[in-house]
Amino acid sequence: LDQPELTAEVMREGWLHTGDLGRLDEEGYLYVTGRSKDLIVTGAGKNVYPEEVESLYRDLPHLAELGVVGVRSARTLSEEVHGVAVLEIGSAAQVEEALKQRAYQISGTLPSYQRIQRRHLWRRPLPRREDGEIDRQALAAQLQGDRHQGSERVDLPPWERQLYQQVSRLTGLTTGEVMAHREVPLDTLIDSLMAVELASLLEQWAGRSLDGVVRAHRPLGELAELLRPALENRPWVGEPEQPFWSQVVRGTPAAAPGTSLLQRLFWRTSGPLLGRYLSLECSGLEHLPQAGPYLIAANHLSHLDAPCLLLALKGHADGLSLAVPRGYAPQAGLWARLIHALLNAVPVDRREGFAASLGRLRQALGPRRPLLLFPEGSRSAGGKLQPFKPGIGLLALELGVPVVPAHIRGTYEALPKGNRRPQRQPVLLRFGPPLEMGPYRARRPQLSSYEVYREIAEALHRRIEALGTGA
């Protein structure tokens, strides 16, 4: 057909621009992964391909169709991954529940950016183009138009609706979506940090201790029933004036610890020997702040990681503290206990005792005395960077300090898991520019605290990954 305008859109400088996205494998085969106009770009800057997400969820039970699109959120001003599941004709209510449960299981195995963030169950077919492919623009437009049409029940007592509204505030889900998850374990909705805040809020509302009623395995509906006697006749305490973890941090006095005697001895004696033995090479030391306190976030391969980082700080810091899981050192060997003593290890309880742990971490942090964290939570023997826990974002944002990303290589070969004696192996340590918290504090009016914590964790993950590739 003679349509010069359309031709000009796809023919530029003699090349046909199809709009397809793809990748080449090591053998030169081309794989088409989707269309550029369908690409979803999340608030964290991740590229999400709808066809790929659909393939990850392809074994959902009783599924007739599945369409994945990006829908712009009025709250975050970025795209969210929405999935529309069309059920088989004649599906009953229990079939819908089976599909939901399987969706939760699949989501638990995927990185956060590949998960379906908002799920819709339809009985009508998906809109399709003449070639039979899903019309993603039409589907996204329908979801965008329907976003204000909630499915919230109106037959709930005020106290129970308030409970769901508080879970909605923590998670970023709508109240209707929270109520749709009443029969699944609580940890499919909230993480351990949210659970601590929710438990504290409920006890304040109830005016007494609730003896660990908030449990990860407990469905939200069951939790509501257990809370009924304590809450149904109690007035609502009102929205917190400040974010919960901000209040916790400000309630803990800061400290300015001095230099550890053991660390000074390490810098003068065994440290230089270890550095020469391992052929330790450092770069990026100019990025270490010299004035105020800061955090260091690093990948974790071996028990040698922290001593190598401590050695690299000589002349650039007065000391170092290390956050470790509570109860880890006594169960580990003598080598690990020695390292923990050398590094002023601060035990962290990630669940019930995290508020107290946060206070200890703040007191361990001082000018020219950074706090070292391994955001992966455990060693990665394979060397591949694991997802980061949001706790690193919480600490950085609430303490109001920058985070210096660090990448270490060679320590696993020098001291693999299970070995006690280091082997001669070159170790490379690279620091990057600090991640400042100002831009993330500015995000708080648009996002929940936990969404900001995750953004910080994902930004650090990208920076450390880039340091590892030399970027």
Side-chain angles (χ1 to χ4, degrees):
L1 297 177
D2 185 16
Q3 295 180 299
E5 298 84 0
L6 296 179
T7 301
E9 289 182 9
V10 297
M11 291 297 299
R12 297 192 295 273
E13 298 180 356
W15 287 92
L16 174 63
H17 292 254
T18 66
D20 292 309
L21 297 171
R23 62 179 176 85
L24 290 172
D25 67 8
E26 296 177 353
E27 298 180 356
Y29 288 99
L30 173 65
Y31 293 86
V32 176
T33 56
R35 302 277 295 171
S36 58
K37 63 182 179 181
D38 297 331
L39 180 68
I40 303 169
V41 181
T42 69
K46 292 285 189 180
N47 290 342
V48 179
Y49 304 98
E51 292 89 346
E52 186 175 359
V53 176
E54 287 166 0
S55 69
L56 294 171
Y57 287 84
R58 62 181 176 272
D59 68 338
L60 290 176
H62 312 290
L63 183 70
E65 297 180 275
L66 177 64
V68 171
V69 293
V71 177
R72 188 174 179 81
S73 168
R75 214 164 53 82
T76 66
L77 302 180
S78 60
E79 285 189 298
E80 296 178 325
V81 181
H82 285 239
V84 180
V86 179
L87 298 174
E88 294 173 337
I89 296 175
S91 299
Q94 59 267 31
V95 167
E96 295 184 14
E97 188 59 35
L99 185 143
K100 292 177 185 178
Q101 293 285 358
R102 180 57 184 149
Y104 302 142
Q105 294 172 2
I106 294 173
S107 295
T109 66
L110 301 176
S112 58
Y113 68 91
Q114 283 190 320
R115 298 174 185 172
I116 292 176
Q117 298 169 273
R118 300 283 187 266
R119 189 190 63 252
H120 310 263
L121 296 181
W122 281 12
R123 300 281 178 173
R124 63 184 187 274
L126 299 176
R128 294 186 178 273
R129 304 194 306 260
E130 291 183 359
D131 60 3
E133 295 296 322
I134 297 173
D135 189 336
R136 299 188 192 277
Q137 281 67 44
L139 180 58
Q142 289 185 41
L143 295 179
Q144 195 75 42
D146 292 344
R147 70 183 187 274
H148 298 303
Q149 296 178 11
S151 59
E152 301 180 9
R153 289 164 45 190
V154 297
D155 59 339
L156 293 174
W159 72 268
E160 189 171 355
R161 177 173 293 278
Q162 188 60 246
L163 170 63
Y164 297 143
Q165 288 174 351
Q166 292 310 307
V167 176
S168 168
R169 179 180 62 81
L170 293 175
T171 61
L173 299 172
T174 67
T175 308
E177 288 170 323
V178 170
M179 288 190 290
H181 293 172
R182 292 181 77 255
E183 306 307 320
V184 302
L186 197 57
D187 59 3
T188 63
L189 288 171
I190 64 175
D191 61 23
S192 58
L193 298 179
M194 296 177 190
V196 174
E197 178 174 351
L198 180 61
S200 175
L201 177 66
L202 293 175
E203 290 189 347
Q204 183 182 358
W205 186 3
R208 60 181 176 85
S209 172
L210 296 174
D211 298 324
V213 169
V214 180
R215 294 294 181 186
H217 66 277
R218 183 164 285 151
L220 184 57
E222 180 182 329
L223 174 65
E225 289 303 313
L226 291 172
L227 291 171
R228 181 184 299 276
L231 301 181
E232 63 179 341
N233 295 318
R234 296 279 301 184
W236 168 237
V237 293
E239 298 293 336
E241 295 181 2
Q242 297 178 343
F244 173 76
W245 293 110
S246 297
Q247 297 179 55
V248 172
V249 169
R250 292 173 187 176
T252 303
T259 305
S260 161
L261 175 61
L262 193 57
Q263 290 185 359
R264 290 202 303 269
L265 290 173
F266 175 77
W267 278 334
R268 292 176 183 174
T269 58
S270 57
L273 294 175
L274 177 65
R276 287 193 295 271
Y277 183 75
L278 296 176
S279 301
L280 178 63
E281 295 184 18
C282 300
S283 64
L285 289 166
E286 68 275 10
H287 297 306
L288 297 174
Q290 293 300 303
Y294 60 96
L295 307 179
I296 298 176
N299 61 315
H300 194 18
L301 302 172
S302 162
H303 285 311
L304 278 178
D305 295 339
C308 286
L309 283 157
L310 172 62
L311 183 57
L313 292 178
K314 183 180 180 181
H316 299 270
D318 296 333
L320 178 71
S321 297
L322 170 68
V324 298
R326 174 174 291 279
Y328 178 72
Q331 298 171 8
L334 178 62
W335 176 256
R337 289 197 292 271
L338 177 62
I339 290 177
H340 290 173
L342 171 68
L343 292 159
N344 298 323
V346 181
V348 176
D349 186 337
R350 294 175 183 158
R351 297 188 180 275
E352 288 84 354
F354 188 75
S357 299
L358 188 58
R360 289 191 294 269
L361 292 172
R362 187 186 187 201
Q363 291 179 328
L365 183 67
R368 287 179 56 86
R369 184 176 191 129
L371 176 65
L372 170 62
L373 300 104
F374 296 118
E376 295 169 278
S378 61
R379 286 172 287 170
S380 174
K384 183 178 180 181
L385 205 58
Q386 303 175 83
F388 282 6
K389 310 293 185 184
I392 181 67
L394 184 155
L395 285 170
L397 189 68
E398 304 303 354
L399 292 173
V401 296
V403 190
V404 175
H407 185 275
I408 192 164
R409 177 182 297 162
T411 50
Y412 176 75
E413 292 79 6
L415 189 68
K417 186 179 291 188
N419 287 27
R420 297 186 178 183
R421 179 175 298 179
Q423 307 298 314
R424 295 186 71 90
Q425 169 69 34
V427 173
L428 305 177
L429 179 58
R430 189 179 185 191
F431 294 98
L435 183 70
E436 301 290 344
M437 291 299 106
Y440 295 98
R441 285 194 294 271
R443 296 279 281 162
R444 272 192 146 152
Q446 293 84 35
L447 302 174
S448 73
S449 293
Y450 297 98
E451 288 171 317
V452 181
Y453 300 155
R454 285 192 291 269
E455 280 197 351
I456 295 170
E458 290 175 358
L460 286 168
H461 190 283
R462 292 194 298 273
R463 291 195 177 198
I464 295 175
E465 195 170 43
L467 287 172
T469 60

PDB file of all heavy atoms in Angstrom, residues 71 82 84 120 122 124 138-151:
ATOM      1  N   VAL A  71       1.328  -0.995  33.698  1.00  0.00           N
ATOM      2  CA  VAL A  71       0.323   0.039  33.949  1.00  0.00           C
ATOM      3  C   VAL A  71       0.959   1.103  34.832  1.00  0.00           C
ATOM      4  O   VAL A  71       1.532   0.795  35.876  1.00  0.00           O
ATOM      5  CB  VAL A  71      -0.928  -0.542  34.630  1.00  0.00           C
ATOM      6  CG1 VAL A  71      -1.937   0.570  34.952  1.00  0.00           C
ATOM      7  CG2 VAL A  71      -1.579  -1.599  33.744  1.00  0.00           C
ATOM      8  N   HIS A  82       1.378  -5.784  35.710  1.00  0.00           N
ATOM      9  CA  HIS A  82       0.033  -6.303  35.952  1.00  0.00           C
ATOM     10  C   HIS A  82      -0.155  -7.582  35.130  1.00  0.00           C
ATOM     11  O   HIS A  82       0.277  -7.655  33.975  1.00  0.00           O
ATOM     12  CB  HIS A  82      -1.037  -5.296  35.537  1.00  0.00           C
ATOM     13  CG  HIS A  82      -1.185  -4.147  36.485  1.00  0.00           C
ATOM     14  ND1 HIS A  82      -2.370  -3.854  37.127  1.00  0.00           N
ATOM     15  CD2 HIS A  82      -0.286  -3.226  36.914  1.00  0.00           C
ATOM     16  CE1 HIS A  82      -2.207  -2.786  37.893  1.00  0.00           C
ATOM     17  NE2 HIS A  82      -0.949  -2.391  37.779  1.00  0.00           N
ATOM     18  N   VAL A  84      -3.190 -10.284  33.882  1.00  0.00           N
ATOM     19  CA  VAL A  84      -4.623 -10.580  33.784  1.00  0.00           C
ATOM     20  C   VAL A  84      -4.780 -12.061  33.473  1.00  0.00           C
ATOM     21  O   VAL A  84      -4.365 -12.530  32.404  1.00  0.00           O
ATOM     22  CB  VAL A  84      -5.303  -9.737  32.690  1.00  0.00           C
ATOM     23  CG1 VAL A  84      -6.793 -10.074  32.618  1.00  0.00           C
ATOM     24  CG2 VAL A  84      -5.110  -8.251  32.966  1.00  0.00           C
ATOM     25  N   HIS A 120      -5.164  -9.677  38.235  1.00  0.00           N
ATOM     26  CA  HIS A 120      -6.585  -9.488  37.948  1.00  0.00           C
ATOM     27  C   HIS A 120      -7.137 -10.815  37.424  1.00  0.00           C
ATOM     28  O   HIS A 120      -6.526 -11.453  36.564  1.00  0.00           O
ATOM     29  CB  HIS A 120      -6.790  -8.393  36.892  1.00  0.00           C
ATOM     30  CG  HIS A 120      -6.059  -7.116  37.183  1.00  0.00           C
ATOM     31  ND1 HIS A 120      -6.647  -6.033  37.795  1.00  0.00           N
ATOM     32  CD2 HIS A 120      -4.765  -6.757  36.942  1.00  0.00           C
ATOM     33  CE1 HIS A 120      -5.751  -5.059  37.911  1.00  0.00           C
ATOM     34  NE2 HIS A 120      -4.606  -5.482  37.406  1.00  0.00           N
ATOM     35  N   TRP A 122     -10.132 -12.476  35.360  1.00  0.00           N
ATOM     36  CA  TRP A 122     -11.197 -12.143  34.417  1.00  0.00           C
ATOM     37  C   TRP A 122     -11.928 -13.399  33.980  1.00  0.00           C
ATOM     38  O   TRP A 122     -11.374 -14.496  33.972  1.00  0.00           O
ATOM     39  CB  TRP A 122     -10.628 -11.463  33.166  1.00  0.00           C
ATOM     40  CG  TRP A 122     -10.286 -10.018  33.325  1.00  0.00           C
ATOM     41  CD1 TRP A 122     -10.215  -9.303  34.482  1.00  0.00           C
ATOM     42  CD2 TRP A 122      -9.957  -9.109  32.265  1.00  0.00           C
ATOM     43  NE1 TRP A 122      -9.853  -8.009  34.214  1.00  0.00           N
ATOM     44  CE2 TRP A 122      -9.681  -7.856  32.858  1.00  0.00           C
ATOM     45  CE3 TRP A 122      -9.852  -9.236  30.878  1.00  0.00           C
ATOM     46  CZ2 TRP A 122      -9.324  -6.732  32.118  1.00  0.00           C
ATOM     47  CZ3 TRP A 122      -9.494  -8.120  30.128  1.00  0.00           C
ATOM     48  CH2 TRP A 122      -9.242  -6.880  30.748  1.00  0.00           C
ATOM     49  N   ARG A 124     -13.877 -12.744  31.015  1.00  0.00           N
ATOM     50  CA  ARG A 124     -13.973 -12.384  29.602  1.00  0.00           C
ATOM     51  C   ARG A 124     -12.607 -12.572  28.940  1.00  0.00           C
ATOM     52  O   ARG A 124     -11.564 -12.516  29.615  1.00  0.00           O
ATOM     53  CB  ARG A 124     -14.449 -10.945  29.455  1.00  0.00           C
ATOM     54  CG  ARG A 124     -13.511  -9.887  30.031  1.00  0.00           C
ATOM     55  CD  ARG A 124     -14.145  -8.502  29.920  1.00  0.00           C
ATOM     56  NE  ARG A 124     -13.243  -7.420  30.305  1.00  0.00           N
ATOM     57  CZ  ARG A 124     -13.079  -6.997  31.548  1.00  0.00           C
ATOM     58  NH1 ARG A 124     -13.736  -7.575  32.550  1.00  0.00           N
ATOM     59  NH2 ARG A 124     -12.250  -5.986  31.810  1.00  0.00           N
ATOM     60  N   ALA A 138      -4.472  -2.093  24.289  1.00  0.00           N
ATOM     61  CA  ALA A 138      -5.888  -2.095  24.671  1.00  0.00           C
ATOM     62  C   ALA A 138      -6.075  -2.666  26.069  1.00  0.00           C
ATOM     63  O   ALA A 138      -6.878  -2.157  26.865  1.00  0.00           O
ATOM     64  CB  ALA A 138      -6.696  -2.910  23.656  1.00  0.00           C
ATOM     65  N   LEU A 139      -5.307  -3.713  26.392  1.00  0.00           N
ATOM     66  CA  LEU A 139      -5.415  -4.327  27.716  1.00  0.00           C
ATOM     67  C   LEU A 139      -4.969  -3.344  28.794  1.00  0.00           C
ATOM     68  O   LEU A 139      -5.641  -3.186  29.831  1.00  0.00           O
ATOM     69  CB  LEU A 139      -4.572  -5.598  27.762  1.00  0.00           C
ATOM     70  CG  LEU A 139      -4.566  -6.375  29.084  1.00  0.00           C
ATOM     71  CD1 LEU A 139      -5.981  -6.785  29.486  1.00  0.00           C
ATOM     72  CD2 LEU A 139      -3.666  -7.598  28.973  1.00  0.00           C
ATOM     73  N   ALA A 140      -3.831  -2.668  28.562  1.00  0.00           N
ATOM     74  CA  ALA A 140      -3.345  -1.694  29.541  1.00  0.00           C
ATOM     75  C   ALA A 140      -4.339  -0.552  29.716  1.00  0.00           C
ATOM     76  O   ALA A 140      -4.562  -0.068  30.829  1.00  0.00           O
ATOM     77  CB  ALA A 140      -1.983  -1.156  29.115  1.00  0.00           C
ATOM     78  N   ALA A 141      -4.958  -0.130  28.611  1.00  0.00           N
ATOM     79  CA  ALA A 141      -5.937   0.955  28.689  1.00  0.00           C
ATOM     80  C   ALA A 141      -7.142   0.544  29.528  1.00  0.00           C
ATOM     81  O   ALA A 141      -7.672   1.336  30.307  1.00  0.00           O
ATOM     82  CB  ALA A 141      -6.360   1.368  27.282  1.00  0.00           C
ATOM     83  N   GLN A 142      -7.584  -0.718  29.367  1.00  0.00           N
ATOM     84  CA  GLN A 142      -8.714  -1.195  30.165  1.00  0.00           C
ATOM     85  C   GLN A 142      -8.367  -1.214  31.652  1.00  0.00           C
ATOM     86  O   GLN A 142      -9.164  -0.805  32.501  1.00  0.00           O
ATOM     87  CB  GLN A 142      -9.131  -2.592  29.703  1.00  0.00           C
ATOM     88  CG  GLN A 142      -9.796  -2.621  28.335  1.00  0.00           C
ATOM     89  CD  GLN A 142     -10.296  -4.007  27.972  1.00  0.00           C
ATOM     90  OE1 GLN A 142     -10.837  -4.717  28.811  1.00  0.00           O
ATOM     91  NE2 GLN A 142     -10.098  -4.400  26.713  1.00  0.00           N
ATOM     92  N   LEU A 143      -7.162  -1.702  31.965  1.00  0.00           N
ATOM     93  CA  LEU A 143      -6.758  -1.755  33.369  1.00  0.00           C
ATOM     94  C   LEU A 143      -6.596  -0.359  33.934  1.00  0.00           C
ATOM     95  O   LEU A 143      -6.954  -0.097  35.094  1.00  0.00           O
ATOM     96  CB  LEU A 143      -5.452  -2.534  33.515  1.00  0.00           C
ATOM     97  CG  LEU A 143      -5.503  -4.017  33.156  1.00  0.00           C
ATOM     98  CD1 LEU A 143      -4.135  -4.654  33.337  1.00  0.00           C
ATOM     99  CD2 LEU A 143      -6.533  -4.755  34.007  1.00  0.00           C
ATOM    100  N   GLN A 144      -6.045   0.556  33.135  1.00  0.00           N
ATOM    101  CA  GLN A 144      -5.880   1.931  33.595  1.00  0.00           C
ATOM    102  C   GLN A 144      -7.236   2.558  33.868  1.00  0.00           C
ATOM    103  O   GLN A 144      -7.423   3.276  34.855  1.00  0.00           O
ATOM    104  CB  GLN A 144      -5.133   2.743  32.536  1.00  0.00           C
ATOM    105  CG  GLN A 144      -4.590   4.074  33.038  1.00  0.00           C
ATOM    106  CD  GLN A 144      -3.353   3.898  33.902  1.00  0.00           C
ATOM    107  OE1 GLN A 144      -2.489   3.101  33.592  1.00  0.00           O
ATOM    108  NE2 GLN A 144      -3.280   4.640  34.987  1.00  0.00           N
ATOM    109  N   GLY A 145      -8.196   2.259  33.019  1.00  0.00           N
ATOM    110  CA  GLY A 145      -9.530   2.813  33.214  1.00  0.00           C
ATOM    111  C   GLY A 145     -10.257   2.201  34.391  1.00  0.00           C
ATOM    112  O   GLY A 145     -11.114   2.840  35.001  1.00  0.00           O
ATOM    113  N   ASP A 146      -9.891   0.933  34.733  1.00  0.00           N
ATOM    114  CA  ASP A 146     -10.577   0.241  35.819  1.00  0.00           C
ATOM    115  C   ASP A 146      -9.887   0.411  37.164  1.00  0.00           C
ATOM    116  O   ASP A 146     -10.338  -0.125  38.169  1.00  0.00           O
ATOM    117  CB  ASP A 146     -10.643  -1.270  35.527  1.00  0.00           C
ATOM    118  CG  ASP A 146     -11.557  -1.573  34.353  1.00  0.00           C
ATOM    119  OD1 ASP A 146     -12.340  -0.684  33.982  1.00  0.00           O
ATOM    120  OD2 ASP A 146     -11.460  -2.684  33.810  1.00  0.00           O
ATOM    121  N   ARG A 147      -8.777   1.179  37.208  1.00  0.00           N
ATOM    122  CA  ARG A 147      -7.966   1.149  38.425  1.00  0.00           C
ATOM    123  C   ARG A 147      -8.677   1.727  39.648  1.00  0.00           C
ATOM    124  O   ARG A 147      -8.306   1.444  40.780  1.00  0.00           O
ATOM    125  CB  ARG A 147      -6.653   1.908  38.207  1.00  0.00           C
ATOM    126  CG  ARG A 147      -6.787   3.411  38.075  1.00  0.00           C
ATOM    127  CD  ARG A 147      -5.409   4.037  37.785  1.00  0.00           C
ATOM    128  NE  ARG A 147      -5.451   5.489  37.806  1.00  0.00           N
ATOM    129  CZ  ARG A 147      -5.779   6.242  36.778  1.00  0.00           C
ATOM    130  NH1 ARG A 147      -6.106   5.663  35.630  1.00  0.00           N
ATOM    131  NH2 ARG A 147      -5.802   7.561  36.870  1.00  0.00           N
ATOM    132  N   HIS A 148      -9.669   2.575  39.403  1.00  0.00           N
ATOM    133  CA  HIS A 148     -10.396   3.157  40.544  1.00  0.00           C
ATOM    134  C   HIS A 148     -11.602   2.322  40.952  1.00  0.00           C
ATOM    135  O   HIS A 148     -12.292   2.648  41.904  1.00  0.00           O
ATOM    136  CB  HIS A 148     -10.841   4.581  40.207  1.00  0.00           C
ATOM    137  CG  HIS A 148      -9.697   5.512  39.941  1.00  0.00           C
ATOM    138  ND1 HIS A 148      -8.694   5.744  40.851  1.00  0.00           N
ATOM    139  CD2 HIS A 148      -9.399   6.253  38.842  1.00  0.00           C
ATOM    140  CE1 HIS A 148      -7.818   6.604  40.342  1.00  0.00           C
ATOM    141  NE2 HIS A 148      -8.229   6.921  39.122  1.00  0.00           N
ATOM    142  N   GLN A 149     -11.873   1.246  40.201  1.00  0.00           N
ATOM    143  CA  GLN A 149     -13.028   0.419  40.532  1.00  0.00           C
ATOM    144  C   GLN A 149     -12.582  -0.665  41.506  1.00  0.00           C
ATOM    145  O   GLN A 149     -12.043  -1.686  41.119  1.00  0.00           O
ATOM    146  CB  GLN A 149     -13.617  -0.205  39.269  1.00  0.00           C
ATOM    147  CG  GLN A 149     -14.168   0.831  38.291  1.00  0.00           C
ATOM    148  CD  GLN A 149     -14.708   0.199  37.042  1.00  0.00           C
ATOM    149  OE1 GLN A 149     -14.865  -1.019  36.970  1.00  0.00           O
ATOM    150  NE2 GLN A 149     -15.019   1.015  36.048  1.00  0.00           N
ATOM    151  N   GLY A 150     -12.738  -0.427  42.787  1.00  0.00           N
ATOM    152  CA  GLY A 150     -12.268  -1.366  43.796  1.00  0.00           C
ATOM    153  C   GLY A 150     -13.224  -2.517  43.996  1.00  0.00           C
ATOM    154  O   GLY A 150     -14.380  -2.473  43.604  1.00  0.00           O
ATOM    155  N   SER A 151     -12.720  -3.567  44.620  1.00  0.00           N
ATOM    156  CA  SER A 151     -13.552  -4.721  44.936  1.00  0.00           C
ATOM    157  C   SER A 151     -13.695  -4.859  46.446  1.00  0.00           C
ATOM    158  O   SER A 151     -13.875  -5.944  46.959  1.00  0.00           O
ATOM    159  CB  SER A 151     -12.910  -5.992  44.357  1.00  0.00           C
ATOM    160  OG  SER A 151     -11.614  -6.179  44.885  1.00  0.00           O
TER     161      SER A 151
END
